[in-house]
């Protein structure tokens, strides 16, 4: 998610919110649809409130951490080699000078790879890097 549109939570929360919502970071915000948007919104509010109350970034539900056999698990994928939920390999890459994290099993990538402009028939070469698309 482009921080110009989804700003505030920061990189740890971004990775963990998208993970909990089951949304791959390469899915453009305009392509989320209502159901996925609502999941992202729910987990954003839930995790930010939890962080405020706990005074710490704790994204794994304590009951799930215990059920996974790791009661001290604090994050699912951020800065991790393995997914805290399925133990699959976490992928990481740079996006706009920030590191993105995703578990391909828990956050299936978009069919088109999620390149900027791909859903509108615009090639990445035709889209200047400094252009921000906003659809209201």
């Amino acid at each position: 998610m482009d921080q110009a549109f989804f700003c505030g939570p920061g990189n740890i929360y971004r990775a963990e919110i998208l993970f909990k919502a089951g949304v791959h970071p390469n899915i453009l915000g305009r392509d989320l649809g209502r159901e996925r948007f609502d999941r992202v919104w729910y987990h954003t509010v839930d995790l930010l409130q939890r962080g405020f109350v706990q005074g710490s970034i704790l994204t794994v539900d304590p009951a799930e951490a215990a059920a996974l056999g790791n009661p001290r698990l604090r994050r699912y994928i951020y800065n991790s080699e393995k997914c805290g939920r399925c133990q699959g390999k976490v992928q990481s890459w740079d996006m706009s000078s920030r590191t993105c994290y995703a578990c391909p099993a828990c956050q299936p990538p978009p069919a088109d790879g999620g390149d900027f402009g791909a859903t509108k028939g615009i090639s990445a070469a035709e889209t200047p890097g400094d252009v921000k698309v906003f659809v209201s």
Side-chain angles (χ1 to χ4, degrees), residues 17 36 41 47 52 59 65 68 75 99 119:
I17 288 165
R36 283 191 289 193
W41 182 258
L47 293 181
F52 178 76
T59 63
L68 292 169
R75 298 185 188 107
T99 303
T119 60

Side-chain angles (χ1 to χ4, degrees), residues 92-112:
S92 64
W93 66 97
D94 287 332
M95 180 188 291
S96 301
S97 301
R98 304 296 299 265
T99 303
C100 285
Y101 300 90
C103 171
C106 298
Q107 298 168 272
D112 66 2

Side-chain angles (χ1 to χ4, degrees), residues 16 20 47 50 58-66 68 70 73-76:
E16 297 291 308
K20 289 191 77 150
L47 293 181
R50 181 186 300 171
L58 176 64
T59 63
V60 180
D61 298 316
E64 183 176 8
L68 292 169
N70 187 356
L73 184 65
R74 298 177 57 80
R75 298 185 188 107
Y76 293 99

Side-chain angles (χ1 to χ4, degrees), residues 2 26 28 30 114-119 122-125 127-128 131-133:
D2 184 340
N26 283 353
L28 299 174
R30 68 175 180 232
D115 291 334
F116 183 83
T119 60
I122 303 168
S123 73
T127 309
V131 171
K132 304 283 190 234
V133 176

Side-chain angles (χ1 to χ4, degrees), residues 10-54:
N11 210 35
I12 297 172
Y13 277 121
R14 176 182 66 172
E16 297 291 308
I17 288 165
L18 292 175
F19 175 82
K20 289 191 77 150
V23 174
H24 193 278
N26 283 353
I27 296 175
L28 299 174
R30 68 175 180 232
D31 295 335
L32 281 177
R34 188 66 197 191
E35 181 185 341
R36 283 191 289 193
F37 174 84
D38 287 345
R39 288 194 319 253
V40 169
W41 182 258
Y42 170 82
H43 290 295
T44 300
V45 171
D46 180 56
L47 293 181
L48 291 175
Q49 285 178 339
R50 181 186 300 171
F52 178 76
V53 170
Q54 298 282 331

